[in-house]
Amino acid sequence: MRDMGGDQIEEAVAGAAALLRTVAGRDWEGVRAGRLEWSCRTTAIHIAEDLIAYAGQLAGRATTAYVPFEIVVEDGTDNAGLIEVIETTGALLAATVRTTPRETRAFHPYPFGGANREGFAAMGVAEVLLHTHDIAAGLGLSYEPPAELCQDVLTRIFPHVRPGPDHWRTLLWATGRGELPDRAPLTEWRWNNNLVIPAERLTLQGVTPAAAADLTAGGTGGFEWIEGGPFEGTVSAAGMVAKAYAAGTHRPEWGMFVLVRREDGRAVGGIGFHGVPDEEDRAEVGYDLVESARGNGYATEALRALSEWALARDDVKLLFAAVERANTPSQNVAARAGFARVDADVEEDAYELHGLDRSLQLYAREG
């Protein structure tokens, strides 16, 4: 899987700086940046502010709020000097991302309160690409960044956006800056960093479309797995995420999670939902572990944590799991996590009306 990190930040910043230097001698203060209310100069300063702010969040390991600092451009700094500030702050973010451990998360409000180094890298790249576009639009310049950079951003922090054949124009549409022939224009938007649900010995880490595609193709999804992982159920679930993303129906909080041990940062299994809750506020869950991780209570811990997170929401009243009749260990996991066999009539309806395989038994937990 292509990493999202310092190299991408540097590539985005280098492309922006090269373009902006061609117009460094023009008036940036008196020109509005595209559809923004800001001037081109204010927008350029904003790029640098975001880059250094993201570096500060990661470097300071901020967990509850933004680190309370800001940068100030010295009076008299011309546009060429401002470009140097963007390059410097970009280098600082790139270096911070490269030296931050994979499991580190820092505060960012949208939408789940945090991001890892890959998320901050993606956000930094997005700020550079999109605001360079805004400045270019204001100054009448042509600007189109590399398609792969745009795809990197989309598959990390826009998991809810159906991909299109043109990654740059899809990113512009997803941020209210452009139009696509088959989609209504957006007036409001936000990106989505992956959700992480804490458990006692594990963290349940939401799988991005980029990670899902890599897992489906036989890769690691960017996780460090224990021997024998990922297991076949995790790979199959990743395929479901990849298909939902391609169709534009993926909702990250109702996708899949990889179970990562706190003690060593290694992945031991997967868990997740088979889709968003239905019209009766019911959702299906599934889980599996790498064989060498079984017998340690990880699946029970993960299922309990995921269930408590889901049932605390207003849009979920019942969770259910379909477990093979011969799989006693998995049945025990469900029972220990608070699930119980449904009554015979409900199960028979599932067989007759919903096509449930009769080799499976239904377990449910209510909120």
Side-chain angles (χ1 to χ4, degrees):
M1 183 175 76
R2 173 177 156 105
D3 290 336
M4 186 72 198
D7 290 351
Q8 285 70 37
I9 296 167
E10 290 175 345
E11 182 181 4
V13 169
L19 177 72
L20 295 178
R21 282 203 169 91
T22 66
V23 289
R26 291 176 56 180
D27 174 25
W28 290 9
E29 185 58 56
V31 179
R32 180 173 167 177
R35 301 183 183 186
L36 303 182
E37 298 295 329
W38 299 334
S39 70
C40 290
R41 182 174 175 84
T42 298
T43 303
I45 294 172
H46 177 75
I47 294 173
E49 289 173 335
D50 280 338
L51 293 172
I52 194 63
Y54 294 160
Q57 292 301 99
L58 279 178
R61 308 293 195 262
T63 58
T64 59
Y66 282 114
V67 178
F69 77 98
E70 62 182 12
I71 62 170
V72 177
V73 178
E74 290 185 353
D75 291 342
T77 300
D78 60 11
N79 293 337
L82 186 51
I83 294 169
E84 292 181 2
V85 175
I86 292 173
E87 290 176 315
T88 301
T89 53
L92 289 170
L93 177 57
T96 303
V97 167
R98 289 190 177 111
T99 56
T100 298
R102 186 195 177 283
E103 292 305 303
T104 297
R105 292 185 71 84
F107 173 81
H108 188 276
Y110 302 134
F112 304 118
N116 59 13
R117 67 187 185 189
E118 186 174 77
F120 277 103
M123 290 188 291
V125 170
E127 297 285 0
V128 173
L129 301 187
L130 295 169
H131 289 312
T132 300
H133 161 79
D134 297 332
I135 295 170
L139 296 173
L141 303 174
S142 176
Y143 172 68
E144 182 163 343
E148 196 168 21
L149 270 184
C150 303
Q151 184 180 27
D152 288 337
V153 171
L154 288 166
T155 55
R156 265 72 174 195
I157 57 174
F158 289 92
H160 53 292
V161 171
R162 175 165 56 91
D166 186 311
H167 302 307
W168 175 228
R169 280 154 190 80
T170 300
L171 181 58
L172 291 177
W173 173 84
T175 56
R177 288 172 167 83
E179 297 179 357
L180 290 176
D182 59 342
R183 308 186 200 187
L186 293 182
T187 57
E188 295 183 359
W189 62 273
R190 282 182 178 173
W191 51 49
N192 281 259
N193 280 290
N194 69 322
L195 171 64
V196 173
I197 299 173
E200 182 180 353
R201 296 170 297 163
L202 306 168
T203 55
L204 283 58
Q205 301 188 15
V207 171
T208 65
D214 188 62
L215 284 165
T216 304
T220 66
F223 297 92
E224 182 180 350
W225 290 86
I226 63 171
E227 184 178 357
F231 201 62
E232 58 188 20
T234 296
V235 175
S236 176
M240 293 171 59
V241 170
K243 288 180 181 179
Y245 172 65
T249 59
H250 176 55
R251 297 297 173 263
E253 63 269 44
W254 300 110
M256 70 169 288
F257 301 79
V258 165
L259 313 182
V260 178
R261 289 193 305 218
R262 292 181 182 271
E263 65 182 41
D264 59 5
R266 302 188 72 187
V268 299
I271 193 169
F273 301 98
H274 289 211
V276 300
D278 65 17
E279 64 278 359
E280 297 182 26
D281 298 334
R282 301 173 303 185
E284 183 178 359
V285 296
Y287 47 90
D288 79 345
L289 288 178
V290 177
E291 288 189 20
S292 58
R294 296 173 186 173
N296 296 293
Y298 292 141
T300 299
E301 181 180 324
L303 182 57
R304 186 180 294 124
L306 186 68
S307 299
E308 290 173 356
W309 174 85
L311 292 170
R313 297 170 58 99
D314 293 334
D315 53 354
V316 179
K317 293 184 174 64
L318 183 140
L319 297 174
F320 64 93
V323 183
E324 292 181 0
R325 293 180 184 275
N327 192 342
T328 302
S330 187
Q331 295 168 17
N332 292 338
V333 166
R336 288 193 297 266
F339 286 68
R341 279 287 304 276
V342 302
D343 64 47
D345 289 341
V346 172
E347 196 166 62
E348 188 60 32
D349 285 344
Y351 296 136
E352 295 292 337
L353 300 179
H354 303 290
L356 181 69
D357 190 323
R358 288 188 177 271
S359 68
L360 301 175
Q361 296 176 334
L362 276 183
Y363 288 75
R365 176 175 169 177
E366 293 185 85

